[in-house]
């Protein structure tokens, strides 16, 4: 890790929306939302969160780091599974409170359940009173039990 | 609005991850993160939040509703601009705390700054100490001043 990255102060709305200063807005827990898409398919693989250090490490290394809210720790994607995400492009949104990472996903999948994407179930539309999820693109591409030493340790 | 949708209780990890009961996890503020992608290009258009009512209205109507954290109100995307989002598919992730909406974006763009997507700036990778954003796909596709009665009223 080199010297700390200098994130810009938040500034005016014009600074944030039309400027070139990177002023990410971390929430009350010090986190920013990151959407991860597959550079090949364009599909959303996962949604995760970064704290300032995870963001800095991602920028410096070009590999995705996150902060696990459940495990309360910095986490390099693929550190257990080998399913590292190489960041091809990192974008920030208009108000700089969300990030979009286009990644090259190493290995057979991003989801700790053993699937390519975490989004393997659809919510049917047009229902007025009840919802039953429908599995889509839900085939398992790897066996999580064989990959992860600890359940849930992504 | 018909009767309230019944969201399932959260249940066990197996229920949540491998079941067909829709048990969305709202955060401490009653919100869930929604990623919106363009069904045509696959690009991420925006990241927004839904409360239970916004989610219910989205499911019932097939058009995207959100909850504005800044304005503290329910908000139908396109209510001011006409830039309605027709939801082609709604998915939920493994732990059911994030939603992915694939939408048909009506009108020239989704971003209140006048652009197609909110993600019009890239964060260069590999930098150790400073970051200057780079505009990408940042051409304005409409004039927000001509569309929105109130600045920021998306």
């Amino acid at each position: 890790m080199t010297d700390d990255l200098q994130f810009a102060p938040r500034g005016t709305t014009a600074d944030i929306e039309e400027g070139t200063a990177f002023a990410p807005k971390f929430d009350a827990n010090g986190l920013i939302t990151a959407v991860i898409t597959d550079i090949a398919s364009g599909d959303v693989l996962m949604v995760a969160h970064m704290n300032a250090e995870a963001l800095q490490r991602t920028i410096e290394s070009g590999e995705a780091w996150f902060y696990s809210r459940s495990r309360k720790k910095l986490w390099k994607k693929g550190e257990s599974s080998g399913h590292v995400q190489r960041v091809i492009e990192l974008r920030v949104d208009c108000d700089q409170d969300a990030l979009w990472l286009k990644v090259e996903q190493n290995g057979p999948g991003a989801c700790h359940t053993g699937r390519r994407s975490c989004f393997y179930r659809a919510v049917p539309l047009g229902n007025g009173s009840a919802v039953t999820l429908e599995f889509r693109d839900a085939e398992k591409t790897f066996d999580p039990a064989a990959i992860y030493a600890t359940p849930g340790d992504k």
Side-chain angles (χ1 to χ4, degrees), chain A:
Chain A
M1 181 74 65
T2 58
D3 293 340
D4 279 356
L5 273 180
Q6 300 300 314
F7 297 129
R10 288 283 290 168
T12 66
T13 299
D15 292 337
I16 292 166
E17 294 184 350
E18 301 294 339
T20 58
F22 186 37
K25 183 178 182 181
F26 297 97
D27 68 14
N29 297 311
L31 301 177
I32 189 168
T33 300
V35 179
I36 319 301
T37 65
D38 184 324
I39 191 77
S41 67
D43 285 348
V44 178
L45 296 176
M46 51 188 278
V47 170
H49 297 83
M50 292 184 182
N51 63 4
E53 187 173 351
L55 177 53
Q56 175 172 351
R57 288 184 184 221
T58 299
I59 291 170
E60 289 179 0
S61 69
E63 294 182 330
W65 284 78
F66 301 107
Y67 182 84
S68 168
R69 295 178 299 176
S70 55
R71 289 179 286 135
K72 299 190 191 338
K73 59 175 269 202
L74 200 70
W75 156 56
K76 181 183 173 183
K77 175 65 187 170
E79 67 188 357
S80 304
S81 62
H83 302 168
V84 169
Q85 294 175 333
R86 189 162 74 87
V87 184
I88 307 300
E89 189 174 50
L90 171 59
R91 292 204 186 186
V92 65
D93 76 344
C94 47
D95 53 2
Q96 301 204 31
D97 68 354
L99 302 168
W100 172 19
L101 287 73
K102 303 181 193 179
V103 308
E104 197 175 77
Q105 174 68 58
N106 195 43
C111 183
H112 77 287
T113 66
R115 297 173 172 97
R116 197 176 54 83
S117 160
C118 295
F119 292 87
Y120 49 83
R121 286 170 299 182
V123 181
L125 300 171
N127 288 300
S129 60
V131 171
T132 301
L133 299 175
E134 297 171 358
F135 281 83
R136 300 225 183 123
D137 308 318
E139 61 282 1
K140 297 213 176 187
T141 54
F142 63 99
D143 175 7
I147 295 287
Y148 302 114
T150 312
D153 182 17
K154 306 165 193 178

